[in-house]
């Protein structure tokens, strides 16, 4: 199945704002991040409605379906089409029988409100001996910053990337940090890039839902410029995932399974 992965939209809209610098005020011909609504239907049944950046919507749809365990591969998608306003993604699977999760309405700051105990029972511990170094994490975070095209232009958007010791493999941006991770998963699926034994980096907080997506992708190391939540740390311990936060040029905070970064314990 052929899916178009490049969009005409830039993800930002022109906007003139007033910039205050010290005692001076001036007008700037800049922009604001674009935000839209996407409803996903599978075999004619509503699955989810989400607020997102209106670009790479097919990629977002594929990644969301995978991370929600609706599909295991893109070969299960017989047809994927966006409507003219790009507000609805209609997906027809190659099989009639499909068990969909409960219908979801997701905002850009969504949280599922699921306890760590329930989530931890969704997957077994990750069986992987993958390890790297803090220097690799720092280098990939610099590459994340370089790949943040929309953020560097207008701010107000999250970036997620998939990489390994050799460098960056996939990058994506979205107003929702969860959506950015789904886009990374979707692009990896479409490009035939394995996600297991890779490193997932995000510009936003690592929530329990995001860690669940990482576990679904069999990613053993997740890093962020900010912090994980308490349930995230609990899940990472149970799932054998290394979580690092506050990644900066000068260091980082390693919360779980530091042996994946060459640390004791």
């Amino acid at each position: 199945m052929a899916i178009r992965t490049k969009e005409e939209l830039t993800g930002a809209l022109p906007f003139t704002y007033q910039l205050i610098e010290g005692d001076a005020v001036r007008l700037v011909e800049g922009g604001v991040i674009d935000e839209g609504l996407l409803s996903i239907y599978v075999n004619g049944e509503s699955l989810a409605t989400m607020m997102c950046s209106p670009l790479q919507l097919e990629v977002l749809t594929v990644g969301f379906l995978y991370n929600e365990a609706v599909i295991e591969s893109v070969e299960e998608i017989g047809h994927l089409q966006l409507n003219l306003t790009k507000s609805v993604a209609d997906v027809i699977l190659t099989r009639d029988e499909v068990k969909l999760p409960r219908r979801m309405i997701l905002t850009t700051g969504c949280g599922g409100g699921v306890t760590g105990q329930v989530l931890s029972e969704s997957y077994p511990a990750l069986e992987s001996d993958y390890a790297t170094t803090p220097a690799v994490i720092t280098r990939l975070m610099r590459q994340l910053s370089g790949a943040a095209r929309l953020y560097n232009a207008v701010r107000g958007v999250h970036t997620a990337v998939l990489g390994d010791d050799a460098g960056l493999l996939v990058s994506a941006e979205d107003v929702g940090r969860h959506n950015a991770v789904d886009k990374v998963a979707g692009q990896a699926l479409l490009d035939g890039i394995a996600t297991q034994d890779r490193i997932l980096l995000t510009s936003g907080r690592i929530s329990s839902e995001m860690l669940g997506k990482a576990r679904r992708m069999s990613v053993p190391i997740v890093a962020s410029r900010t912090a994980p939540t308490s349930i995230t740390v609990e899940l990472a311990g149970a799932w054998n995932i290394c979580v690092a936060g506050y990644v900066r040029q000068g260091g980082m905070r390693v919360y779980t399974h530091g042996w994946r970064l060459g640390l004791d314990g």
Side-chain angles (χ1 to χ4, degrees):
M1 180 197 64
I3 295 178
R4 179 169 54 86
T5 61
K6 293 184 179 180
E7 300 269 359
E8 296 289 332
L9 296 173
T10 64
L13 299 175
F15 193 86
T16 302
Y17 58 86
Q18 292 178 295
L19 177 65
I20 301 174
E21 292 178 317
D23 296 329
V25 180
R26 61 187 176 92
L27 286 178
V28 174
E29 298 291 335
V32 293
I33 198 69
D34 197 4
E35 183 178 28
L37 182 146
L38 178 68
S39 295
I40 299 176
Y41 287 79
V42 178
N43 288 3
E45 184 177 347
S46 176
L47 171 61
T49 296
M50 63 183 70
M51 303 303 299
C52 60
S53 293
L55 72 165
Q56 290 184 294
L57 296 179
E58 292 113 327
V59 173
L60 172 59
T61 300
V62 172
F64 183 78
L65 293 179
Y66 177 79
N67 280 337
E68 292 299 320
V70 176
I71 63 171
E72 294 295 329
S73 70
V74 291
E75 283 71 27
E76 295 180 50
I77 301 178
H79 180 75
L80 195 166
Q81 182 175 351
L82 297 174
N83 67 345
L84 291 178
T85 60
K86 297 186 177 180
S87 60
V88 174
D90 191 21
V91 180
I92 303 299
L93 300 183
T94 56
R95 50 189 165 84
D96 295 330
E97 295 295 326
V98 56
K99 183 178 180 181
L100 299 179
R102 60 181 174 83
R103 183 176 183 273
M104 293 168 276
I105 300 177
L106 309 174
T107 67
T108 54
C110 63
V114 182
T115 66
Q117 181 180 5
V118 172
L119 275 174
S120 64
E121 294 173 353
S122 302
Y123 299 102
L126 190 61
E127 294 184 6
S128 168
D129 294 328
Y130 178 79
T132 187
T133 66
V136 169
I137 304 300
T138 302
R139 183 169 68 249
L140 286 172
M141 189 60 75
R142 287 199 304 269
Q143 292 178 312
L144 178 149
S145 298
R149 177 183 61 87
L150 286 174
Y151 177 83
N152 292 330
V154 297
R155 302 295 193 262
V157 66
H158 285 290
T159 308
V161 301
L162 185 74
D164 58 18
D165 289 35
L168 205 65
L169 296 167
V170 180
S171 66
E173 291 181 278
D174 200 279
V175 287
R177 60 187 187 275
H178 305 76
N179 298 339
V181 173
D182 283 335
K183 285 180 178 180
V184 165
Q187 194 66 65
L189 279 172
L190 292 169
D191 291 345
I193 298 173
T195 57
Q196 62 265 28
D197 287 349
R198 307 290 193 185
I199 304 166
L200 180 68
L201 296 95
T202 175
S203 61
R205 184 179 71 252
I206 308 173
S207 66
S208 56
E209 295 87 0
M210 289 177 67
L211 197 77
K213 294 177 187 294
R215 176 60 188 87
R216 169 70 174 160
M217 296 162 65
S218 297
V219 171
I221 299 176
V222 180
S224 172
R225 285 199 297 227
T226 61
T229 67
S230 62
I231 295 179
T232 295
V233 173
E234 176 187 347
L235 290 170
W239 286 340
N240 202 21
I241 295 175
C242 173
V243 168
Y246 296 100
V247 178
R248 302 289 190 272
Q249 185 61 39
M252 65 193 71
R253 301 179 187 179
V254 181
Y255 294 88
T256 57
H257 297 288
W259 63 269
R260 291 196 185 275
L261 297 182
L263 307 178
D264 294 333

